[in-house]
Amino acid sequence: MIRKLPLGVEPPLELLLLADPSENKIKDYLNQGTCFVFIKEKETLGAYVLAPVDKNIVEIMNVAVEESEQGKGIGKLLILDAIERAKQAGYKRIEIGTGNSSIGQLALYQKCGFRLTSIEKDYFTKNYSEPIIENGIRCVDRINLSIDLKS
Ligand code: COA
């Protein structure tokens, strides 16, 4: 079951840190957005944060699944849930960004309907103090993807 994090319940920081090494950035977007959690047998196995960019655009700021539960379809459920909630809330566009080295994430987002929109060169070198390496690739550029929700 995916539901909005109830009021007064601490966000699953350990989980969100899997997707973003910066605790400060996570705290910033938790303040601006809403955290949704995937719960099974009282365990929080996945989470995402949806935050408005403006009145027409909403962004998935973070999506993460417990390491032991990855590859079982939970990530896809979370992304599809975010798209549905964005539609229901009347947003015209949903966005997500990831690193050039995040091959699996790029596959997942495109499987959920996202299209590539732009590249922010050197985003990760400018915004993160520690080097990030995934799949043997240095993460330097941010790839932005989006879905137009009303055509
Ligand atoms: N190449 C091709 N396809 C891939 C892939 C890869 N390397 N990795 C995942 N996929 C595909 C799967 O095959 C699946 O497609 P299918 O539905 O057609 O079978 C789809 O992506 C969804 O996989 P799913 O099992 O739902 O993903 P998940 O539950 O493991 O969640 C993440 C995906 C990214 C949320 C999860 O791996 C995670 O938490 N990673 C660490 C945090 C992170 O990097 N978050 C994103 C920040 S940008």
Side-chain angles (χ1 to χ4, degrees):
M1 180 184 54
I2 300 172
R3 66 166 196 224
K4 191 173 162 180
L5 188 76
L7 270 180
V9 174
E10 282 295 311
L13 193 58
E14 288 297 315
L15 196 51
L16 299 173
L17 278 166
L18 292 176
D20 189 335
S22 167
E23 198 169 321
N24 284 339
K25 285 200 175 62
I26 294 174
K27 285 184 175 155
D28 276 353
Y29 51 69
L30 278 171
N31 281 333
Q32 302 154 22
T34 309
C35 183
F36 294 89
V37 286
F38 176 94
I39 296 180
K40 190 178 167 195
E41 290 158 9
K42 296 189 181 167
E43 296 266 355
T44 303
L45 303 182
Y48 71 86
V49 179
L50 203 54
V53 175
D54 60 32
K55 71 176 175 46
N56 293 319
I57 303 172
V58 70
E59 181 172 351
I60 301 175
M61 304 300 294
N62 185 313
V63 55
V65 173
E66 277 294 347
E67 261 162 320
S68 61
E69 299 294 323
Q70 290 176 8
K72 299 180 183 175
I74 300 173
K76 197 171 185 182
L77 284 178
L78 289 168
I79 298 289
L80 294 176
D81 186 77
I83 296 168
E84 196 47 43
R85 284 182 201 267
K87 260 187 213 164
Q88 295 302 324
Y91 286 102
K92 294 197 169 80
R93 187 177 166 96
I94 184 166
E95 299 183 337
I96 194 163
T98 193
N100 59 285
S101 51
S102 300
I103 306 297
Q105 288 80 343
L106 283 166
L108 165 59
Y109 304 154
Q110 290 179 84
K111 282 179 176 182
C112 292
F114 282 87
R115 302 271 307 266
L116 273 63
T117 43
S118 64
I119 295 172
E120 287 174 69
K121 287 216 165 193
D122 296 310
Y123 175 89
F124 288 93
T125 31
K126 284 179 189 153
N127 288 286
Y128 290 83
S129 52
E130 296 296 317
I132 304 167
I133 294 168
E134 292 172 297
N135 303 301
I137 305 166
R138 175 88 191 264
C139 182
V140 285
D141 303 322
R142 179 180 148 117
I143 299 178
N144 296 317
L145 302 96
S146 68
I147 301 175
D148 289 329
L149 299 170
K150 287 182 185 162
S151 49

Short mmCIF file of all heavy atoms in Angstrom, two decimals, residues 58-84:
data_model
loop_
_atom_site.label_atom_id
_atom_site.label_comp_id
_atom_site.label_asym_id
_atom_site.label_seq_id
_atom_site.Cartn_x
_atom_site.Cartn_y
_atom_site.Cartn_z
N VAL A 58 5.08 19.59 -11.11
CA VAL A 58 5.46 18.94 -9.86
C VAL A 58 6.68 18.04 -10.16
O VAL A 58 6.83 17.54 -11.27
CB VAL A 58 4.26 18.16 -9.28
CG1 VAL A 58 3.91 16.93 -10.10
CG2 VAL A 58 4.45 17.82 -7.83
N GLU A 59 7.54 17.89 -9.17
CA GLU A 59 8.76 17.11 -9.40
C GLU A 59 8.88 15.96 -8.40
O GLU A 59 8.61 16.15 -7.20
CB GLU A 59 9.99 18.03 -9.28
CG GLU A 59 11.29 17.28 -9.53
CD GLU A 59 12.50 18.20 -9.61
OE1 GLU A 59 12.33 19.44 -9.63
OE2 GLU A 59 13.62 17.67 -9.63
N ILE A 60 9.29 14.79 -8.89
CA ILE A 60 9.63 13.69 -7.99
C ILE A 60 11.07 13.98 -7.54
O ILE A 60 12.01 13.94 -8.34
CB ILE A 60 9.55 12.32 -8.69
CG1 ILE A 60 8.14 12.07 -9.24
CG2 ILE A 60 9.95 11.21 -7.71
CD1 ILE A 60 8.00 10.79 -10.07
N MET A 61 11.23 14.30 -6.26
CA MET A 61 12.53 14.74 -5.76
C MET A 61 13.40 13.56 -5.32
O MET A 61 14.62 13.69 -5.19
CB MET A 61 12.36 15.67 -4.55
CG MET A 61 11.48 16.88 -4.81
SD MET A 61 12.11 17.93 -6.13
CE MET A 61 13.61 18.52 -5.42
N ASN A 62 12.76 12.44 -5.00
CA ASN A 62 13.51 11.32 -4.46
C ASN A 62 12.63 10.09 -4.61
O ASN A 62 11.41 10.20 -4.42
CB ASN A 62 13.80 11.57 -2.97
CG ASN A 62 14.68 10.52 -2.31
OD1 ASN A 62 14.47 9.32 -2.48
ND2 ASN A 62 15.66 10.97 -1.55
N VAL A 63 13.21 8.98 -4.99
CA VAL A 63 12.47 7.71 -4.97
C VAL A 63 13.46 6.64 -4.53
O VAL A 63 14.59 6.59 -5.03
CB VAL A 63 11.79 7.39 -6.32
CG1 VAL A 63 12.75 7.39 -7.48
CG2 VAL A 63 11.05 6.05 -6.26
N ALA A 64 13.06 5.83 -3.57
CA ALA A 64 13.99 4.83 -3.04
C ALA A 64 13.25 3.60 -2.54
O ALA A 64 12.14 3.70 -2.01
CB ALA A 64 14.81 5.44 -1.90
N VAL A 65 13.90 2.45 -2.72
CA VAL A 65 13.36 1.16 -2.26
C VAL A 65 14.46 0.50 -1.42
O VAL A 65 15.64 0.55 -1.79
CB VAL A 65 12.98 0.29 -3.48
CG1 VAL A 65 12.59 -1.11 -3.05
CG2 VAL A 65 11.85 0.94 -4.28
N GLU A 66 14.06 -0.11 -0.30
CA GLU A 66 15.01 -0.85 0.55
C GLU A 66 15.86 -1.77 -0.31
O GLU A 66 15.32 -2.47 -1.18
CB GLU A 66 14.23 -1.73 1.55
CG GLU A 66 13.76 -1.04 2.79
CD GLU A 66 14.89 -0.57 3.71
OE1 GLU A 66 16.05 -0.98 3.51
OE2 GLU A 66 14.59 0.23 4.58
N GLU A 67 17.16 -1.81 -0.04
CA GLU A 67 18.06 -2.59 -0.90
C GLU A 67 17.60 -4.03 -1.10
O GLU A 67 17.62 -4.54 -2.22
CB GLU A 67 19.47 -2.54 -0.33
CG GLU A 67 20.29 -1.50 -1.07
CD GLU A 67 21.53 -1.05 -0.32
OE1 GLU A 67 21.47 -0.89 0.91
OE2 GLU A 67 22.54 -0.88 -1.01
N SER A 68 17.16 -4.67 0.00
CA SER A 68 16.77 -6.09 -0.10
C SER A 68 15.49 -6.29 -0.90
O SER A 68 15.16 -7.41 -1.28
CB SER A 68 16.59 -6.67 1.30
OG SER A 68 15.56 -5.96 1.95
N GLU A 69 14.75 -5.19 -1.14
CA GLU A 69 13.46 -5.29 -1.85
C GLU A 69 13.53 -4.76 -3.28
O GLU A 69 12.52 -4.73 -3.98
CB GLU A 69 12.38 -4.51 -1.07
CG GLU A 69 12.14 -5.02 0.34
CD GLU A 69 11.55 -6.43 0.36
OE1 GLU A 69 10.73 -6.74 -0.52
OE2 GLU A 69 11.94 -7.21 1.26
N GLN A 70 14.72 -4.33 -3.69
CA GLN A 70 14.85 -3.77 -5.04
C GLN A 70 14.70 -4.86 -6.10
O GLN A 70 14.97 -6.04 -5.84
CB GLN A 70 16.21 -3.07 -5.20
CG GLN A 70 16.27 -1.79 -4.38
CD GLN A 70 17.63 -1.09 -4.42
OE1 GLN A 70 18.52 -1.49 -5.17
NE2 GLN A 70 17.79 -0.08 -3.60
N GLY A 71 14.27 -4.45 -7.27
CA GLY A 71 14.13 -5.40 -8.38
C GLY A 71 12.86 -6.23 -8.33
O GLY A 71 12.71 -7.20 -9.06
N LYS A 72 11.92 -5.83 -7.45
CA LYS A 72 10.67 -6.60 -7.32
C LYS A 72 9.45 -5.80 -7.80
O LYS A 72 8.32 -6.18 -7.51
CB LYS A 72 10.46 -7.00 -5.85
CG LYS A 72 11.56 -7.89 -5.29
CD LYS A 72 11.24 -8.23 -3.83
CE LYS A 72 12.35 -9.07 -3.21
NZ LYS A 72 12.10 -9.29 -1.77
N GLY A 73 9.71 -4.66 -8.43
CA GLY A 73 8.59 -3.88 -8.98
C GLY A 73 8.09 -2.75 -8.10
O GLY A 73 7.18 -2.02 -8.49
N ILE A 74 8.67 -2.58 -6.90
CA ILE A 74 8.17 -1.52 -5.99
C ILE A 74 8.49 -0.13 -6.55
O ILE A 74 7.66 0.78 -6.51
CB ILE A 74 8.73 -1.69 -4.56
CG1 ILE A 74 8.31 -3.05 -3.98
CG2 ILE A 74 8.27 -0.56 -3.65
CD1 ILE A 74 8.94 -3.39 -2.64
N GLY A 75 9.69 0.03 -7.09
CA GLY A 75 10.09 1.32 -7.65
C GLY A 75 9.12 1.77 -8.74
O GLY A 75 8.70 2.94 -8.77
N LYS A 76 8.76 0.83 -9.61
CA LYS A 76 7.82 1.15 -10.69
C LYS A 76 6.46 1.55 -10.11
O LYS A 76 5.85 2.53 -10.56
CB LYS A 76 7.68 -0.05 -11.61
CG LYS A 76 7.08 0.28 -12.94
CD LYS A 76 7.18 -0.92 -13.86
CE LYS A 76 6.69 -0.58 -15.26
NZ LYS A 76 6.76 -1.76 -16.12
N LEU A 77 6.00 0.83 -9.09
CA LEU A 77 4.71 1.18 -8.44
C LEU A 77 4.77 2.59 -7.88
O LEU A 77 3.81 3.36 -7.99
CB LEU A 77 4.41 0.21 -7.28
CG LEU A 77 3.91 -1.19 -7.61
CD1 LEU A 77 3.72 -1.98 -6.32
CD2 LEU A 77 2.59 -1.10 -8.38
N LEU A 78 5.90 2.95 -7.26
CA LEU A 78 6.04 4.29 -6.65
C LEU A 78 5.98 5.37 -7.73
O LEU A 78 5.29 6.38 -7.57
CB LEU A 78 7.36 4.38 -5.87
CG LEU A 78 7.44 3.57 -4.57
CD1 LEU A 78 8.88 3.51 -4.07
CD2 LEU A 78 6.53 4.15 -3.49
N ILE A 79 6.72 5.16 -8.83
CA ILE A 79 6.73 6.17 -9.90
C ILE A 79 5.34 6.31 -10.53
O ILE A 79 4.85 7.42 -10.75
CB ILE A 79 7.78 5.80 -10.99
CG1 ILE A 79 9.19 5.76 -10.41
CG2 ILE A 79 7.70 6.75 -12.19
CD1 ILE A 79 9.78 7.09 -10.06
N LEU A 80 4.68 5.17 -10.78
CA LEU A 80 3.34 5.23 -11.39
C LEU A 80 2.34 5.90 -10.43
O LEU A 80 1.46 6.63 -10.86
CB LEU A 80 2.87 3.82 -11.81
CG LEU A 80 3.69 3.19 -12.93
CD1 LEU A 80 3.21 1.76 -13.20
CD2 LEU A 80 3.63 4.00 -14.23
N ASP A 81 2.52 5.67 -9.14
CA ASP A 81 1.66 6.31 -8.13
C ASP A 81 1.87 7.83 -8.15
O ASP A 81 0.91 8.60 -8.09
CB ASP A 81 2.02 5.74 -6.75
CG ASP A 81 1.09 6.24 -5.66
OD1 ASP A 81 -0.04 5.74 -5.58
OD2 ASP A 81 1.50 7.14 -4.90
N ALA A 82 3.13 8.24 -8.26
CA ALA A 82 3.44 9.69 -8.29
C ALA A 82 2.79 10.33 -9.52
O ALA A 82 2.20 11.43 -9.42
CB ALA A 82 4.95 9.90 -8.33
N ILE A 83 2.86 9.64 -10.66
CA ILE A 83 2.26 10.20 -11.90
C ILE A 83 0.75 10.35 -11.72
O ILE A 83 0.16 11.38 -12.05
CB ILE A 83 2.59 9.27 -13.11
CG1 ILE A 83 4.11 9.23 -13.37
CG2 ILE A 83 1.83 9.74 -14.36
CD1 ILE A 83 4.55 8.14 -14.35
N GLU A 84 0.12 9.32 -11.16
CA GLU A 84 -1.33 9.34 -10.95
C GLU A 84 -1.74 10.46 -9.99
O GLU A 84 -2.70 11.19 -10.24
CB GLU A 84 -1.77 7.96 -10.42
CG GLU A 84 -3.25 7.70 -10.51
CD GLU A 84 -3.89 8.04 -11.86
OE1 GLU A 84 -3.29 7.72 -12.91
OE2 GLU A 84 -4.97 8.66 -11.85
#
